[in-house]
Structures are given as C-alpha cells and as structure tokens.
C-alpha cells in the first residue's frame, strides 16, 4: 500500500533547500533522540519532528514540533517537558531549477504561522524563509534568508548556508553555518558538521554535531535521525526528496 519515493534527507540542518515533496507524497523527518546542552543546562529532544505533505505541484505543507526534556533537576515551578518550535508552514517553489531536473537556480519560499508553545512562548508569530539552491557534480549549496516575528513579537533574522558533498554518493558529508539575530535579545553563531546516508530510495539516516555561541553562552548538540518518504495517493514519479526545516531558537 505504501509506494516508496526517494528520500534525500534534509535532516540534520536548521535551514532547508529550495525543493518540496511531490504531490500526494508524505515525508517524515524524525530525530528520535537528540542531546542538547546550553551553558550548564542539559536537554534531550524526544523527538524532533517534521511532517511534510505534498499538496500539489511545487507546494507542500510543513508541520514542525520539538519536545525538550530537561535532564537536570528542574528548577522550582519549572516544567520538565516543553514543546517548542511548533509551526504550520507552506512552502512553494517559485523557480524550478536544477533541484527539479531543470537548469539554473532553484528558488523557493516557506512561510506561515508560529504557534503557541507548551511551557514556552505563549503568543503567535510569523515566519518567512527565502531559499536559493544550486548543485554541481562535486556538491550542493543552499542559502537561507529567514525572517521571523517571534512569539514575543521581536524581529529575528537568520542567514544560513548549507554545503553538501556529491549528491550521488551513498554517504555524503555535510556542513551548515548560520548567524541568527533576535533584535530584542541574543545573537547566535552556529556551525554543524555531519553526514547523510541514503540507505534506500525511501529511507535515509543522518548524524550532525553542532557547536554554537548564544550571547555569552556556549551550546552543543548531537543530532541523530532519519527521513522516510512514501506516497499516500497514486504517484508515478519516484524522484521525491526530503529536506530538513528546523526551528532556530535558544532555550534559555
């Protein structure tokens, strides 16, 4: 009943690429357990979850959520569990380029609503990410320029670059650098290195090690996850790829 579609696995990044799921294709991006440390605080993210639904040609629906569990003894009146980074977004490819089997740049935009968090930000926010991608035989680059009106109604601007090794390699090295500035709060500088293993046309695994500087605090993260893609309706093209769209924010 489940027809396999190609999964390119855009975990373990915070940014994303200028591509979407094909119509009637569902992509699950799952980090079952991540370890995250910020300053002297330790967390498990169980899970980090992204759901991608291909709606029609060039457009997908994206739903994100991350469950943070405090490893340290919680402070008085503080919750041990927090669901953060939950949102509902639409992503559309405005220029079909090399990622869609054509020529030139692939350009997409992803925007939508930031939802109130459980034991986190209680307000609504808005997000708009403009993504440009290009691929050569030796590697791929994705550039994200991401604007947010946060749940606290602060202006936040994220600029990030993803670099990958040759896409045809079964295991390809990846890296991501980003700078994130909340104009009413802290700024973040982050570097991730990792790898993606395409186990089959519909299944991929990933690992990422991330270090960051958030205001005056150091942060580190270990990301392990998978991407699984399948058709939930009749579909003849198995070239579907999956990407990772992650929430960028500080816990503290």
């Amino acid at each position: 009943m489940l027809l396999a579609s190609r999964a390119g696995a855009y975990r373990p990044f915070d940014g994303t690429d200028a591509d979407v799921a094909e119509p009637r294709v569902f992509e699950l991006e799952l980090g079952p357990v991540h370890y995250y440390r910020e300053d002297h605080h330790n967390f498990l993210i169980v899970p980090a979850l992204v759901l991608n639904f291909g709606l029609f040609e060039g457009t997908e629906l994206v739903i994100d959520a991350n469950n943070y569990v405090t490893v340290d003894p919680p402070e008085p009146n503080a919750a041990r569990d927090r669901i953060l980074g939950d949102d509902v977004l639409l992503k559309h490819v405005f220029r079909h380029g090399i990622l869609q089997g054509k020529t030139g740049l692939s350009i997409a935009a992803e925007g939508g609503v930031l939802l109130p968090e459980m034991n986190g930000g209680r307000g609504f926010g808005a997000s708009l990410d403009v993504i440009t991608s290009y691929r050569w035989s030796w590697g791929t680059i994705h550039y994200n320029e991401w604007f947010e009106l946060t749940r606290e109604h602060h202006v936040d601007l994220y600029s990030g670059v993803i670099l990958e090794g040759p896409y045809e390699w079964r295991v390809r090295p990846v890296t991501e650098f980003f700078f994130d500035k909340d104009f009413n709060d802290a700024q973040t500088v982050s570097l991730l290195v990792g790898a993606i293993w395409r186990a089959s046309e519909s299944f991929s695994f990933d690992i990422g090690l991330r270090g960051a500087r958030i205001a005056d605090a150091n942060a580190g993260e270990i990301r392990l996850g998978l991407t699984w893609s399948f058709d939930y309706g009749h579909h003849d093209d198995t070239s579907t790829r999956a990407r990772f769209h992650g929430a960028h924010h500080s816990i503290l």
Side-chain angles (χ1 to χ4, degrees):
M1 295 176 62
L2 304 180
L3 303 177
S5 299
R6 182 164 183 154
Y10 266 65
R11 289 187 40 83
F13 308 116
D14 284 88
T16 185
D17 69 346
D19 202 6
V20 296
E22 296 291 335
R24 297 177 299 279
V25 168
F26 169 69
E27 296 171 350
L28 169 67
E29 301 177 30
L30 176 66
V33 180
H34 291 184
Y35 170 73
Y36 179 69
R37 179 179 176 86
E38 185 175 332
D39 199 7
H40 60 281
H41 301 278
N42 298 280
F43 305 88
L44 293 178
I45 307 175
V46 284
L49 184 65
V50 182
L51 308 177
N52 302 299
F53 299 87
L55 299 180
F56 45 86
E57 189 65 32
T59 302
E60 70 178 5
L61 174 68
V62 182
I63 301 173
D64 296 299
N66 301 280
N67 182 39
Y68 284 78
V69 179
T70 302
V71 176
D72 311 306
E75 298 179 358
N77 301 318
R80 182 177 289 273
D81 286 82
R82 286 182 279 179
I83 297 179
L84 306 178
D86 46 324
D87 53 42
V88 177
L89 309 169
L90 280 177
K91 185 175 181 182
H92 181 73
V93 177
F94 286 92
R95 188 185 190 281
H96 290 248
I98 196 163
L99 297 193
Q100 291 77 34
K102 301 185 184 298
T103 59
L105 296 173
S106 294
I107 301 174
E110 183 177 61
V113 179
L114 309 181
L115 301 176
E117 299 170 322
M118 187 183 82
N119 299 317
R122 298 184 179 181
F124 287 88
S127 174
L128 178 63
D129 184 14
V130 178
I131 314 108
T132 303
S133 299
Y134 193 78
R135 175 173 293 147
W136 298 267
S137 60
W138 50 265
T140 308
I141 185 170
H142 313 287
Y143 173 64
N144 287 247
E145 196 64 32
W146 191 349
F147 167 84
E148 280 191 353
L149 180 65
T150 69
R151 294 167 181 85
E152 295 75 30
H153 297 165
H154 300 167
V155 174
D156 184 284
L157 186 62
Y158 167 108
S159 300
V161 175
I162 297 169
L163 297 173
E164 305 179 56
Y167 185 73
E168 297 305 318
W169 288 7
R170 179 59 65 92
V171 179
R172 63 188 188 274
V174 297
T175 188
E176 179 184 39
F177 173 81
F178 74 76
F179 175 81
D180 180 51
K181 174 63 176 178
D182 184 326
F183 288 89
N184 291 81
D185 201 348
Q187 68 181 30
T188 300
V189 179
S190 171
L191 177 66
L192 176 144
V193 294
I196 296 171
W197 171 38
R198 187 169 62 244
S200 72
E201 290 299 292
S202 60
F203 219 93
S204 293
F205 296 95
D206 62 83
I207 182 171
L209 304 177
R210 188 172 78 92
R213 183 72 173 173
I214 304 172
D216 296 324
N218 293 320
E221 187 172 2
I222 301 173
R223 297 177 175 177
L224 296 169
L226 59 91
T227 301
W228 177 43
S229 176
F230 66 88
D231 294 359
Y232 61 87
H234 177 69
H235 194 271
D236 296 324
D237 185 357
T238 59
S239 63
T240 300
R241 307 175 53 248
R243 304 128 342 270
F244 178 75
H245 168 90
H248 56 278
H249 55 264
S250 165
I251 297 299
L252 300 182

